[in-house]
Amino acid sequence: ELFPILKPTKHRSHQTQFLSNLEHIKFSGDDILQLETTWNAIGTAFSNTFGTFRTLPKYRDILHSDKNTIYDFLFPPKNSPFFPQAEATYFQLADALHTHLSKDK
């Protein structure tokens, strides 16, 4: 089975779909509860973009995982021929997320 980040889209680009799924997310605090809420909302937006049950762990589950980075959750192994495509998609989505979270509120 494909890694979710490699799934094709039928209608819109992944970036456009991701931005649409991010519309309701606002980062408005610096406490752990706000960070957890925002992380989980971003994970949900990511999952909805790729039509998959879960792509990222819930915030509280990160420390209990054997995976160390976001790459471990989203990407095929680095020696996979699909790695460059997954990485390119990731960077597009990271740019969209950065733009969304840093725009004027």
Side-chain angles (χ1 to χ4, degrees):
E1 181 174 315
L2 285 177
F3 282 77
I5 201 164
L6 294 170
K7 287 186 176 183
T9 182
K10 292 181 182 176
H11 305 290
R12 300 189 269 178
S13 73
H14 288 127
Q15 189 172 17
T16 302
Q17 181 67 35
F18 189 54
L19 279 170
S20 175
N21 290 331
L22 290 174
E23 285 180 357
H24 71 283
I25 298 173
K26 303 289 183 235
F27 189 66
S28 60
D30 59 359
D31 60 26
I32 291 297
L33 181 60
Q34 182 62 34
L35 178 61
E36 180 176 357
T37 300
T38 302
W39 171 268
N40 291 341
I42 292 167
T44 299
F46 198 89
S47 294
N48 289 341
T49 299
F50 291 98
T52 187
F53 177 65
R54 184 190 276 179
T55 53
L56 298 173
K58 295 288 186 186
Y59 184 82
R60 67 175 167 263
D61 297 333
I62 293 172
L63 293 177
H64 306 292
S65 173
D66 60 343
K67 298 178 179 183
N68 298 316
T69 69
I70 197 166
Y71 280 81
D72 296 331
F73 293 103
L74 300 177
F75 290 74
K78 285 192 175 188
N79 60 353
S80 166
F82 299 108
F83 184 84
Q85 178 187 349
E87 189 174 48
T89 301
Y90 169 78
F91 285 128
Q92 287 177 344
L93 299 180
D95 185 51
L97 177 61
H98 178 266
T99 299
H100 173 75
L101 292 177
S102 62
K103 68 182 176 184
D104 293 334
K105 307 291 185 249

